[in-house]
Amino acid sequence: ISIFFQRVVSLDALKQEDGKALAHEIICDAKSPKQRLERLPEVMKRNNALAELKAKYECFEPMMRRFLNGSLALRRPVETKLVCVSEKEGKQLGKNGVAA
């Protein structure tokens, strides 16, 4: 039941516990990075907050893909305001986050 309510919560109403539950939903039952990547679009589509993030920031999904894939890379700074981050920069942020 709680998963249903977390799916309908808007981005502004998310709490820390909701973020943990979202992460669990993305990686739940996924045995490999490939399976996590396959689940991501489905989870983002059915979750209001994630759909809002994807619509608002084009960098969000590519960044999440890098996190889930575990693509390690050297850190390269991205000095762009979040509202202006491109898809390419989102991928780099995802690479940076994995190495952190």
Side-chain angles (χ1 to χ4, degrees):
I1 295 175
S2 66
I3 291 174
F4 170 77
F5 289 109
Q6 286 163 340
R7 288 179 183 165
V8 297
V9 168
S10 70
L11 183 58
D12 295 334
L14 278 183
K15 298 178 185 151
Q16 184 175 2
E17 302 81 40
D18 298 321
K20 291 176 184 176
L22 287 172
H24 178 74
E25 185 175 1
I26 292 170
I27 63 172
C28 174
D29 298 326
K31 307 268 190 249
S32 68
K34 182 180 177 183
Q35 289 177 338
R36 291 181 201 128
L37 291 172
E38 290 170 355
R39 287 180 55 84
L40 183 62
E42 171 192 335
V43 173
M44 289 184 76
K45 187 176 182 177
R46 69 178 177 220
N47 184 286
N48 286 350
L50 292 177
E52 284 181 53
L53 278 170
K54 182 180 177 182
K56 190 171 184 176
Y57 304 109
E58 71 175 14
C59 68
F60 184 72
E61 186 173 359
M63 183 174 65
M64 289 300 299
R65 289 186 166 285
R66 292 291 184 165
F67 279 133
L68 294 172
N69 193 31
S71 302
L72 297 175
L74 298 174
R75 292 177 182 248
R76 292 194 181 105
V78 175
E79 298 183 15
T80 306
K81 290 183 179 184
L82 182 58
V83 295
C84 302
V85 173
S86 69
E87 184 175 339
K88 181 180 177 184
E89 290 168 320
K91 288 178 183 178
Q92 184 60 48
L93 287 170
K95 285 181 177 181
N96 291 350
V98 171

